């Protein structure tokens, strides 16, 4: 993406239109483009976000305003599919005569087939500004390998194929699983098929959920039973560092759900894919026995330090963490 946003070595494209059903990839591309256009502190004065459904006058006015202590202004116009015909016409006109001191990103899922949408799409194509982010065009194995590499790890090709088999081709889910793998191996070294099967949440998710449910319910007996299954269940022995990263991730999800419950908003992120019964049970438990974020963070940090220093069996350190977290 970085090379595509430059007209030359010193000039950035004034407009980039991003369309597709891969919002995670679009988010990455926009973040990269923003970092190039308004690096560091310049973003505080020159970057702004607008939604096309609210009208585009504000976004275009911002784009035409002289930047402050920066070469460019950066305008992120989202949900392009919600723009009115009048707004699309204004955007098409802007694309033909953009402001050279601004970088404007127009993004959304699709434009539809109205006259205004076709005119906007044509203007973007003619200007060389249209970028497509469609799921059918992606190479999920390569995406996983590149994300792991950017984090300092080498994801083997066979492991990447296995990861896609387990998680599917959803980009957001795939990125999340790669991040978990990187965390599980300590942020360095190679990641093979065995590591994928050990750390992938879809393999051990049921047991990890059982463990986190027991932690939230302050049930040490059930928690230790799940802990034993995770440490040596089936034919696989998982490292305590891997288990700690998985528990930390689940606690993160529970804290996000707890915050949503308190605010009265929709469950965040991955909770939309959790079975309704499990979501209801987790919500009820968090209402009865809320998690203390500071306490959980301290416990996880202490356990991580203890595992790094452990000379004997670090299994005792992990089990000690579980007992501490289930203590009323």
């Amino acid at each position: 993406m970085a090379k595509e946003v430059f007209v030359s070595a010193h000039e950035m494209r004034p407009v980039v239109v991003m369309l597709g059903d891969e919002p995670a990839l679009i988010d990455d591309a926009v973040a990269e483009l923003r970092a190039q256009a308004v690096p560091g502190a310049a973003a505080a004065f020159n970057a702004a976000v607008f939604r096309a459904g609210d009208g585009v006058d504000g976004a275009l006015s911002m784009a035409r305003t002289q930047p402050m202590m920066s070469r460019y202004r950066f305008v992120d116009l989202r949900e392009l599919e919600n723009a009115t015909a009048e707004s699309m016409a204004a955007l098409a006109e802007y694309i033909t005569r953009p402001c050279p001191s601004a970088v404007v990103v127009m993004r959304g899922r699709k434009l539809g087939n109205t006259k205004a949408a076709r005119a906007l799409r044509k203007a973007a194509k003619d200007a060389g500004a249209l970028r497509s982010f469609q799921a059918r065009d992606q190479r999920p194995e390569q995406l996983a390998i590149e994300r792991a590499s950017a984090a300092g790890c080498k994801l083997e090709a066979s492991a990447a194929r296995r990861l896609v088999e387990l998680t599917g081709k959803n980009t957001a889910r795939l990125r999340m699983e790669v991040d978990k793998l990187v965390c599980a191996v300590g942020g360095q070294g190679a990641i093979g098929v065995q590591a994928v099967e050990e750390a992938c949440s879809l393999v051990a998710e049921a047991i990890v959920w059982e463990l986190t449910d027991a932690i939230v319910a302050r049930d040490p007996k059930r928690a230790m039973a799940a802990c034993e299954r995770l440490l040596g269940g089936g034919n696989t022995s998982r490292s305590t560092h891997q288990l700690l990263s998985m528990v930390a991730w689940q606690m993160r999800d529970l804290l996000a759900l707890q915050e949503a419950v308190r605010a009265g908003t929709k469950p965040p992120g991955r909770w939309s894919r959790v079975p309704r019964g499990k979501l209801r049970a987790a919500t009820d438990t968090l209402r009865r026995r809320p998690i203390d974020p500071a306490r959980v963070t301290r416990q996880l940090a202490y356990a991580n330090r203890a595992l790094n220093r452990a000379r004997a069996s670090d299994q005792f350190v992990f089990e000690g963490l579980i007992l501490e977290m289930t203590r009323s």
Side-chain angles (χ1 to χ4, degrees):
M1 178 65 198
K3 295 180 180 178
E4 295 180 356
V5 301
F6 289 94
V7 174
S8 69
H10 305 289
E11 297 291 334
M12 299 188 72
R13 291 188 182 277
V15 179
V16 182
V17 180
M18 303 181 185
L19 300 174
D21 55 5
E22 284 286 0
L25 293 182
I26 292 178
D27 285 344
D28 283 350
V30 172
E32 183 179 1
L33 182 50
R34 173 178 164 138
Q36 297 280 359
V38 285
F45 302 99
N46 297 285
V49 176
F50 298 88
R51 299 191 183 279
D54 298 330
V56 299
D57 290 346
L60 297 183
S61 176
M62 175 67 74
R64 294 181 175 118
T65 303
Q66 193 70 15
M68 295 178 60
M69 297 179 290
S70 174
R71 184 171 184 179
Y72 299 105
R73 279 197 180 273
F74 183 80
V75 177
D76 181 3
L77 181 61
R78 303 179 179 182
E79 300 172 5
L80 199 56
E81 64 274 12
N82 294 332
T84 64
E86 182 180 358
S87 293
M88 288 188 182
L91 294 175
E93 182 180 356
Y94 180 85
I95 291 174
T96 61
R97 291 185 296 173
C99 180
S101 62
V103 175
V104 179
V105 175
M106 306 176 188
R107 55 163 153 163
R109 292 185 63 84
K110 57 183 180 180
L111 286 177
N113 198 35
T114 64
K115 181 179 179 180
R118 291 195 299 271
L120 177 55
R121 190 183 295 107
K122 182 178 185 302
K125 283 184 178 179
D126 291 346
L130 188 61
R131 300 289 178 269
S132 177
F133 294 82
Q134 301 294 339
R136 64 176 180 270
D137 300 328
Q138 305 308 318
R139 299 167 58 197
E141 292 90 351
Q142 187 62 31
L143 185 149
I145 290 172
E146 290 175 357
R147 188 168 183 85
S149 177
C153 295
K154 180 183 178 181
L155 180 63
E156 298 172 1
S158 57
R161 287 193 296 272
R162 181 58 175 153
L163 182 62
V164 173
E165 289 174 2
L166 290 169
T167 65
K169 297 182 179 181
N170 179 275
T171 302
R173 181 62 186 257
L174 189 61
R175 294 194 317 168
M176 182 177 69
E177 295 300 333
V178 171
D179 291 346
K180 288 182 183 179
L181 281 168
V182 170
C183 181
V185 300
Q188 60 183 354
I191 301 174
V193 173
Q194 182 177 350
V196 169
E197 293 182 341
E198 290 176 357
C200 177
S201 68
L202 293 184
V203 175
E205 187 171 25
I207 306 176
V208 173
W209 267 117
E210 185 176 337
L211 175 59
T212 49
D213 286 347
I215 290 173
V216 174
R218 313 293 197 273
D219 186 340
K221 184 176 180 180
R222 186 155 59 98
M224 291 305 294
C227 181
E228 183 178 354
R229 291 170 62 196
L230 284 169
L231 286 168
N235 297 319
T236 302
S237 178
R238 299 179 177 87
S239 79
T240 49
H241 280 88
Q242 289 174 329
L243 294 179
L244 182 63
S245 69
M246 295 165 77
V247 170
W249 201 275
Q250 297 291 68
M251 296 306 294
R252 169 186 175 275
D253 284 344
L254 285 168
L255 287 170
L257 176 62
Q258 178 173 276
E259 187 61 29
V261 170
R262 287 176 174 172
T265 58
K266 287 184 177 181
R270 69 181 299 274
W271 287 99
S272 62
R273 300 185 294 273
V274 171
R276 187 171 300 178
K278 182 176 288 293
L279 174 59
R280 184 167 54 250
T283 300
D284 292 343
T285 301
L286 289 171
R287 285 197 177 105
R288 292 195 310 271
R289 310 193 74 163
I291 301 172
D292 181 348
R295 180 171 179 261
V296 167
T297 302
R298 285 196 303 270
Q299 290 170 336
L300 290 170
Y302 174 81
N304 184 60
R305 290 194 298 269
L307 287 175
N308 290 335
R309 294 196 303 262
R311 294 183 179 179
S313 173
D314 54 6
Q315 177 176 335
F316 296 119
V317 176
F318 185 74
E319 291 174 342
L321 167 69
I322 300 304
L323 289 173
E324 177 66 22
M325 295 179 79
T326 54
R327 190 173 64 182
S328 299

